[in-house]
Amino acid sequence: MKKTYLNKAFPHLLHGGDYNPEQWIDTKEIWDEDMRLMKAANCNEMTVGVFSWSTLEPREGQFDFAFLDEIIERIGKAGGHVVLATPTVAPPHWMAKKYPEILRITKDGNPPALSLGSVRGKTCFTSPKYREKVGIIVRKLAERYAKDPAVLAWHLDNEIYGQCFCENCRKRFREFLKEKYRTVENLNRTYWAKWSSGEVGSFEEIEPPHGGTAYDALYLDWKRFTDLSIIDYLKFQSDIIKSIDPDAVVTTNLMPQRDYDLFEFAKILDFASIDIYPNWGRPSEVGEAIDSAWQYDYVRSLKNRPFMLMESAPGLVSWMPQNKLQRPGILTLAGISAVAHGSDSVGYFQFRKSRGANEQYHGAIVDHEGSENTRIFREVSATGQTLKKIDEVCGCTAEAETALFYDAENLWALDIVYAFSPRHTGYYREDVQYYGVLWKNSIPADIVNSNSDFSKYKLIIMPMQYIVSKKLEEKIAEYVKNGGTIYATYMLGYADENALAHLGGFPAGQLKDVFGIWNEEIDSLLPEEEQEIEFGGKSFTAKEYCEIIHLRTAKARATYQTDFYRGTPCFTVNEYGKGKAYYQAFRDTGEFKNFAIGRILKELNVKSCIASGREGVSAQVRTDGEKEYLFIENYSNEKAEDIVLNGLYEDLLTGERVSSVELCRFGFKVLRRIK
Ligand code: GLA
Ligand code: ZN
């Protein structure tokens, strides 16, 4: 397998992060210190320019690149590399004042208030005036820096997300609908608009769903449209850069916890990047570790190759309700975890703490104190030292036999659908909990959606896949027929891609044959209610959702123990073609899925990265097809002894040969396989 690096010119792990030197433009001695400290922190990458627009174009049409010239040169001379951001997340204040049409309009129809600094993240994705201004600055930056040897890659905008209800966006939305439906009758039919007499007479009458709608399909179309507008806006920037330097590589920092379709975004990026801000500092760190690992695997799966961890917090953040300090060891372990799951970088926000404004107490590598003599600095520096020692993993990716399904359209539909209380049905949370079963068993996983290739997986776990299109229905049937195993749950296949309910019983169409069941009703339990499940001689708890299903060809493996549906099946398996389809008809508290999927993993002989683990320990493998690197991480509050490996390995940090290891609290190992 060919190695793919973030940038061929510098095929090494990156360590660094956001650097905002324009804040210190009048104190060059700070810049001198920064270069010294960059080296002392074992950093080799700085992301610059994210918030530089007002420095680069202080007045309309007056450009001054002196600061950026100097800083890029200084970083290069100090042995560092630059990821250069387009500054378009935060236009200068004068621009917003002079051209208010560049601003996003909120769902209540208002522009943002224009106090100082308020324009960040508040511009419209379709505004022609903003495109014009963005086009000018991006072109100038590309012409000046694209060929600069210190510049490794381009970071487009920053954490781009949101929606705009301005006149232009509304007009574009109508055009999008017209293109899709052709006639307004088609749209009315698809939206089921006769319900409550909601039919429209022309496309011009349609408004985006301001703060919710009764017509689920309208909401789905709006989400699709906003994603496409953002993607188009990013592509506009990327096209300019590539027209100047066809070899330029572009990325942007994605946020997997937000509700946008990252698979679509990834199509226009050369590599994917992630920002991640876990809630470290809980009594147990395991939950955050699983959530982070899910996010990393998602971002790696977008392009099936290494990605960039662009931002994480060194220390604490400033915007959580409770800004906890990270315990000693977590910073390095979290960085190594990103690499374990496929990142070729460990990046932080930010290098030096802002002296004032909103982020003055947000964690940074260099604190207000200013030296390398802080706990966080030492941990960052140690992380950089470790990355140097494990640099040979750069370019390797993961080979997973299992996949977890996560689908943006399904997320949107479950966010808007009525009837299943509580309103927000917790799809993300549930997906991560299923992923946790694999994590706890040290089993690598890809995150996939309807467009992915299913054939390479022994097992696909598909929680709460409410939206099932004809295409997905056929793909599932084909996959199982050819020998795949699928594990689906409650809410499978109720509606099509327009959120219209499937007729003829759930789950959709031939999925009734694949799973061998028919699902008649779903019970939403009261918060204090529980349902008891009997499975394999053990008792488990169901909560929140219980479906009442009927067997067709499937065999019941577990049954409900209480209420009027006592004795009816709630966990089934069906043989279909050469494969098997499992159905879990209820939401469990975690124990059931661990137990049930644990058994299936054994039956399918899915390979674990280690021979025997411990609670709170997880292992991952990165490989280029020849060399194999094993990462083991310990998130438990205890030392983890006797972790037995699947063979003989060399420890990349100590050079020792090992076939079993012991990890201290928040400890880790990076090992190369010998045999
Ligand atoms: C986001 C932004 C950064 C910074 C951090 C603070 O990730 O991209 O510029 O504001 O939040 O946590
Ligand atoms: Zn707009």
Side-chain angles (χ1 to χ4, degrees):
M1 196 186 310
K2 202 172 148 286
K3 287 200 171 197
T4 322
Y5 306 101
L6 303 189
N7 187 305
K8 290 191 207 82
F10 188 69
H12 297 284
L13 296 179
L14 301 179
H15 185 229
D18 277 26
Y19 177 44
N20 300 308
E22 58 276 295
Q23 294 177 9
W24 305 92
I25 205 161
D26 301 323
T27 40
K28 292 278 176 75
E29 55 287 6
I30 294 276
W31 287 11
D32 296 338
E33 263 303 89
D34 286 344
M35 294 306 109
R36 185 184 73 78
L37 291 167
M38 179 183 88
K39 284 193 264 182
N42 291 308
C43 287
N44 59 9
E45 182 272 332
M46 297 284 216
T47 303
V48 298
V50 182
F51 301 108
S52 302
W53 203 343
S54 68
T55 312
L56 299 175
E57 192 181 357
R59 272 169 293 282
E60 185 165 21
Q62 288 182 21
F63 294 92
D64 183 357
F65 292 98
F67 121 81
L68 206 49
D69 290 352
E70 185 175 341
I71 220 67
I72 292 177
E73 195 187 326
R74 277 175 179 247
I75 294 171
K77 276 201 180 131
H81 292 83
V82 169
V83 171
L84 186 55
T86 61
T88 53
V89 67
H93 197 246
W94 59 256
M95 197 186 291
K97 274 280 193 211
K98 183 162 179 199
Y99 305 109
E101 67 268 36
I102 70 166
L103 296 177
R104 237 175 255 184
I105 299 297
T106 67
K107 59 180 194 268
D108 311 315
N110 300 316
L114 280 190
S115 66
L116 253 178
S118 65
V119 197
R120 172 176 169 178
K122 295 193 171 68
T123 46
C124 166
F125 310 117
T126 70
S127 155
K129 183 47 95 181
Y130 199 50
R131 288 280 172 114
E132 180 194 318
K133 292 295 185 193
V134 165
I136 294 169
I137 189 77
V138 171
R139 177 170 297 279
K140 283 191 184 290
L141 285 169
E143 282 168 353
R144 205 169 178 97
Y145 303 112
K147 298 264 162 62
D148 192 305
V151 174
L152 280 184
W154 289 83
H155 164 31
L156 308 175
D157 212 270
N158 190 60
E159 286 196 347
I160 193 160
Y161 181 72
Q163 52 187 347
C164 175
F165 296 87
C166 78
E167 221 174 288
N168 195 49
C169 286
R170 280 153 55 217
K171 181 169 146 266
R172 295 285 188 91
F173 180 49
R174 292 181 195 117
E175 284 163 10
F176 165 84
L177 295 176
K178 209 166 181 171
E179 169 88 23
K180 179 168 176 182
Y181 293 102
R182 303 281 164 188
T183 69
V184 78
E185 290 74 27
N186 278 338
L187 177 140
N188 281 326
R189 212 173 301 119
T190 306
Y191 286 9
W192 213 250
K194 281 196 188 295
W195 180 83
S196 290
S197 205
E199 283 160 301
V200 286
S202 74
F203 286 99
E204 284 62 45
E205 290 170 30
I206 299 169
E207 288 294 339
H210 301 80
T213 169
Y215 302 97
D216 297 19
L218 173 68
Y219 181 73
L220 293 187
D221 278 338
W222 174 245
K223 296 301 288 178
R224 291 179 184 118
F225 167 77
T226 45
D227 269 14
L228 288 175
S229 326
I230 302 176
I231 291 167
D232 184 66
Y233 166 80
L234 292 178
K235 186 165 182 307
F236 168 74
Q237 298 200 11
S238 168
D239 286 349
I240 294 173
I241 295 168
K242 292 192 174 195
S243 73
I244 291 159
D245 179 12
D247 294 330
V249 285
V250 305
T251 189
T252 193
N253 43 4
L254 305 165
M255 297 166 289
Q257 287 180 323
R258 296 246 167 117
D259 64 337
Y260 50 176
D261 192 344
L262 298 190
F263 281 100
E264 290 302 311
F265 278 68
K267 288 180 185 162
I268 60 137
L269 304 176
D270 293 298
F271 61 88
S273 296
I274 179 175
D275 286 359
I276 194 163
Y277 289 95
N279 266 309
W280 297 121
R282 311 293 113 176
S284 163
E285 306 286 24
V286 173
E288 291 305 302
I290 292 173
D291 187 285
S292 305
W294 179 93
Q295 295 193 51
Y296 294 140
D297 282 350
Y298 186 13
V299 174
R300 187 199 64 244
S301 301
L302 297 176
K303 296 192 85 72
N304 220 342
R305 68 171 85 128
F307 61 92
M308 177 175 191
L309 165 56
M310 195 178 279
E311 288 182 30
S312 61
L316 72 176
V317 294
S318 52
W319 43 262
M320 282 182 192
Q322 199 80 46
N323 295 298
K324 285 285 290 176
L325 290 180
Q326 286 166 1
R327 296 182 178 120
I330 281 294
L331 185 148
T332 302
L333 179 59
I336 294 301
S337 178
V339 179
H341 288 267
S343 177
D344 272 357
S345 88
V346 176
Y348 312 94
F349 178 89
Q350 59 178 330
F351 185 75
R352 178 182 283 276
K353 255 181 206 183
S354 316
R355 182 145 188 220
N358 219 1
E359 285 167 344
Q360 74 187 115
Y361 302 112
H362 189 289
I365 300 172
V366 181
D367 210 326
H368 296 303
E369 187 270 343
S371 80
E372 58 271 60
N373 301 316
T374 62
R375 174 174 78 94
I376 295 296
F377 191 99
R378 281 192 293 271
E379 287 199 36
V380 169
S381 179
T383 307
Q385 195 60 43
T386 303
L387 293 176
K388 283 182 189 167
K389 291 189 185 148
I390 66 168
D391 192 62
E392 59 185 273
V393 308
C394 180
C396 293
T397 185
E399 270 170 21
E401 292 180 326
T402 62
L404 196 88
F405 212 80
Y406 189 69
D407 182 78
E409 300 207 338
N410 192 53
L411 174 69
W412 301 334
L414 287 173
D415 274 351
I416 188 87
V417 68
Y418 265 69
F420 313 126
S421 41
R423 271 301 303 288
H424 291 279
T425 41
Y427 176 47
Y428 175 90
R429 210 182 49 231
E430 187 71 323
D431 208 74
V432 171
Q433 200 177 84
Y434 277 97
Y435 172 85
V437 179
L438 303 173
W439 187 93
K440 288 174 194 160
N441 285 287
S442 292
I443 289 172
D446 288 339
I447 311 294
V448 298
N449 77 355
S450 321
N451 298 320
S452 309
D453 172 13
F454 294 179
S455 65
K456 54 182 172 179
Y457 303 109
K458 282 187 178 169
L459 171 68
I460 296 178
I461 302 174
M462 189 179 275
M464 297 176 72
Q465 190 59 35
Y466 166 78
I467 294 282
V468 173
S469 64
K470 193 78 201 155
K471 176 179 140 197
L472 179 58
E473 181 192 318
E474 280 164 5
K475 270 183 89 161
I476 295 172
E478 192 65 17
Y479 166 72
V480 181
K481 197 187 281 169
N482 291 331
T485 298
I486 193 159
Y487 189 104
T489 78
Y490 61 96
M491 291 193 195
L492 175 69
Y494 285 24
D496 69 9
E497 66 276 25
N498 296 310
L500 285 173
H502 285 294
L503 302 180
F506 303 153
Q510 55 183 318
L511 294 189
K512 282 185 286 297
D513 299 331
V514 176
F515 288 88
I517 55 152
W518 170 48
N519 166 18
E520 186 175 352
E521 291 181 285
I522 181 164
D523 194 10
S524 294
L525 305 194
L526 301 173
E528 64 277 16
E529 260 183 325
E530 286 181 349
Q531 167 66 260
E532 197 190 326
I533 308 291
E534 150 77 34
F535 175 48
K538 286 178 183 270
S539 171
F540 296 90
T541 306
K543 59 181 178 96
E544 292 171 10
Y545 300 115
C546 293
E547 286 174 344
I548 305 174
I549 62 170
H550 306 282
L551 299 177
R552 296 174 75 228
T553 51
K555 291 195 177 66
R557 285 280 176 89
T559 46
Y560 293 120
Q561 297 299 301
T562 62
D563 217 326
F564 73 92
Y565 41 95
R566 173 167 195 223
T568 66
C570 62
F571 180 56
T572 61
V573 58
N574 191 45
E575 297 198 0
Y576 182 77
K578 294 187 203 141
K580 277 187 187 167
Y582 291 87
Y583 194 75
Q584 180 186 330
F586 57 95
R587 177 173 285 180
D588 73 293
T589 47
E591 286 80 9
F592 181 88
K593 51 174 84 68
N594 281 331
F595 185 72
I597 296 175
R599 281 182 163 199
I600 296 168
L601 292 169
K602 281 212 184 75
E603 195 181 304
L604 290 174
N605 201 14
V606 174
K607 281 196 277 322
S608 165
C609 297
I610 47 180
S612 78
R614 281 273 177 272
E615 189 137 351
V617 169
S618 184
Q620 288 292 317
V621 166
R622 283 185 71 166
T623 175
D624 61 1
E626 289 162 21
K627 292 201 171 122
E628 199 182 293
Y629 300 94
L630 176 65
F631 291 72
I632 316 176
E633 306 159 39
N634 179 20
Y635 291 90
S636 80
N637 290 321
E638 313 292 329
K639 179 159 91 176
E641 291 169 316
D642 293 329
I643 310 284
V644 184
L645 311 180
N646 282 329
L648 189 63
Y649 291 81
E650 182 181 329
D651 187 326
L652 291 190
L653 300 177
T654 64
E656 267 174 291
R657 291 184 159 216
V658 290
S659 55
S660 71
V661 295
E662 175 180 303
L663 301 174
C664 64
R665 181 193 194 212
F666 306 150
F668 63 89
K669 294 278 176 198
V670 186
L671 312 166
R672 190 199 313 105
R673 189 176 194 112
I674 299 172
K675 57 178 196 237

